[in-house]
């Protein structure tokens, strides 16, 4: 019995240490991933893009705000935010404070479900057998200030790509961009942006929050060179030597974060900066942003 008691105590101590690490250390251990991508039209000058996603910001996350503010020193030509920026009704101000040094630069954004609907407690084990998409069916009216957030980014000159397409100027070059609203809550309308991507741009960019294959397939078929998404948190809780357990969408585990080939396009899925306030842990999956140095193909 003593041996059993000691074993139980040891297991409990290891569990407590792991939880402390995941919630205090790794959750705030931000990293900047860097990639060089050959996606620009021949003869184009290099372009630097900063990809942000899934801040899930609540007031008081000073370390996250300050870290994002510091990314301006990398002097991106274009900033793209793929959504889920908010997790609290009072988070618009802190999020705009985080972006403030970057808002003078060209930018674009789409929304995620958590920009519109506040987080609720749910059993995290459910993600092992189902996505959270069904959780939104009963929620009719958004209760987060997503319009305020979008208006502020648009006022700074950033392009709203929620079921929209348009042309951006970045690094002295033209970017043909198209995006869809969040498929996780059924607001994506690819038909609104469908059609061949313009051939004369230096870059043809597709932007979406949740990397659902149905939309990725259409972006790739329409000729977009680079696709950006978030939503997955990289799995958030991963296993050593195995990696991501779940993606919470239709994308496969090996594409849950980072760079991969998607047909003729390159796909970058951000592992994200934050977590739900009801699951404030990360394990083997540090919060991140990505700096994408784009060069001619």
């Amino acid at each position: 019995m003593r041996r059993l008691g000691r074993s139980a105590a040891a297991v409990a101590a290891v569990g407590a240490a792991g939880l402390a690490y995941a919630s205090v250390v790794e959750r705030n251990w931000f990293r900047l991933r860097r990639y060089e991508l050959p996606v620009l039209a021949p003869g184009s000058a290099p372009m630097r893009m900063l990809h942000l996603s899934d801040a899930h910001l609540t007031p008081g996350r000073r370390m996250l705000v300050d870290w994002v503010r510091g990314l301006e020193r990398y002097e991106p030509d274009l900033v793209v935010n793929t959504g889920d920026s908010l997790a609290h009704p009072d988070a618009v101000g802190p999020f705009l404070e985080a972006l403030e040094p970057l808002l003078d630069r060209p930018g674009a954004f789409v929304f995620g479900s958590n920009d519109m609907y506040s987080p609720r407690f749910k059993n995290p084990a459910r993600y092992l057998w189902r996505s959270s998409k069904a959780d939104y069916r009963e929620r009719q009216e958004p209760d987060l200030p997503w319009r305020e957030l979008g208006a502020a980014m648009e006022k700074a000159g950033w392009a709203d790509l929620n079921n929209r397409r348009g042309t951006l100027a970045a690094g002295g070059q033209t970017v043909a961009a198209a995006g869809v609203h969040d498929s996780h809550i059924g607001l994506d309308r690819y038909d609104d942006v469908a059609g061949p991507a313009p051939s004369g741009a230096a870059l043809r960019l597709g932007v979406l929050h949740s990397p659902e294959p149905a939309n990725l397939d259409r972006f790739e078929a329409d000729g977009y060179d680079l696709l950006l998404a978030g939503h997955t948190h990289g799995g958030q809780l991963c296993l050593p030597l195995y990696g991501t357990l779940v993606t919470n969408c239709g994308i496969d585990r090996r594409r849950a974060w980072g760079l991969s080939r998607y047909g003729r396009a390159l796909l970058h899925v951000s592992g994200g900066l934050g977590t739900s306030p009801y699951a404030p842990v990360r394990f083997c999956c540090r919060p991140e942003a990505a700096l994408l140095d784009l060069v001619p193909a």
Side-chain angles (χ1 to χ4, degrees):
M1 291 297 293
R2 288 180 186 173
R3 189 176 299 121
L4 182 61
R6 286 195 296 268
S7 298
V11 169
V14 170
L19 181 61
Y21 165 80
S23 61
V24 177
V25 178
E26 186 163 322
R27 177 174 173 249
N28 295 299
W29 190 10
F30 307 105
R31 66 176 165 191
L32 182 66
R33 292 188 181 274
R34 303 189 67 164
Y35 302 90
E36 183 174 285
L37 310 183
V39 294
L40 298 182
S44 300
M47 181 187 305
R48 174 167 286 180
M49 180 183 297
L50 177 64
H51 181 192
L52 306 173
S53 197
D54 295 273
H56 291 274
L57 196 62
T58 54
R61 292 217 61 197
R62 190 73 245 170
M63 293 177 67
L64 173 54
V65 169
D66 289 344
W67 190 82
V68 173
R69 287 180 64 87
L71 296 175
E72 196 275 337
R73 68 180 180 271
Y74 295 100
E75 300 183 341
D77 298 304
L78 178 64
V79 184
V80 179
N81 174 21
T82 50
D84 273 7
S85 304
L86 308 180
H88 192 279
D90 298 328
V92 172
F95 187 71
L96 293 176
E97 180 187 356
L99 288 186
E100 186 267 334
L102 297 163
L103 286 174
D104 288 338
R105 299 182 178 276
F109 66 94
V110 294
F111 292 124
S113 59
N114 286 281
D115 293 313
M116 306 179 72
Y117 297 97
S118 59
R120 292 179 176 178
F121 177 78
K122 59 192 74 171
N123 178 4
R126 292 191 306 169
Y127 288 104
L128 293 173
W129 65 81
R130 50 163 285 189
S131 81
S132 62
K133 189 171 185 175
D135 299 340
Y136 294 92
R137 292 173 184 163
E138 64 191 43
R139 304 186 70 173
Q140 301 299 318
E141 294 296 326
D143 60 352
L144 289 180
W146 62 277
R147 288 190 177 90
E148 180 184 344
L149 174 63
M153 290 189 286
E154 282 194 275
K155 184 178 179 180
W158 285 21
D160 180 348
L161 295 179
N162 290 284
N163 300 326
R164 298 180 182 179
R165 59 190 293 172
T167 301
L168 312 176
Q173 302 180 89
T174 299
V175 176
V180 291
H181 209 309
D182 191 7
S183 60
H184 206 59
I185 48 177
L187 295 181
D188 53 319
R189 303 287 184 269
Y190 193 90
D191 286 346
D192 292 350
V193 301
S199 59
L203 173 68
R204 297 173 294 180
L205 176 67
V207 182
L208 62 171
H209 175 66
S210 180
E212 289 293 347
N215 286 322
L216 295 173
D217 289 346
R218 297 190 71 179
F219 275 118
E220 190 271 342
D222 278 341
Y224 287 91
D225 308 299
L226 176 61
L227 312 177
L228 302 183
H231 177 70
T232 67
H233 298 190
Q236 190 167 323
L237 299 175
C238 300
L239 294 180
L241 305 179
Y242 182 81
T244 301
L245 294 173
V246 295
T247 66
N248 196 29
C249 64
I251 200 73
D252 55 283
R253 288 192 314 104
R254 65 188 179 90
R255 291 185 170 124
W257 59 263
L259 187 68
S260 61
R261 175 65 65 178
Y262 200 93
R264 295 169 295 176
L266 285 176
L267 168 65
H268 181 261
V269 178
S270 172
L273 289 160
T275 68
S276 165
Y278 292 110
V281 292
R282 279 182 175 258
F283 191 77
C284 293
C285 188
R286 288 169 58 188
E288 65 178 47
L291 199 65
L292 310 177
D293 285 311
L294 313 182
V295 298

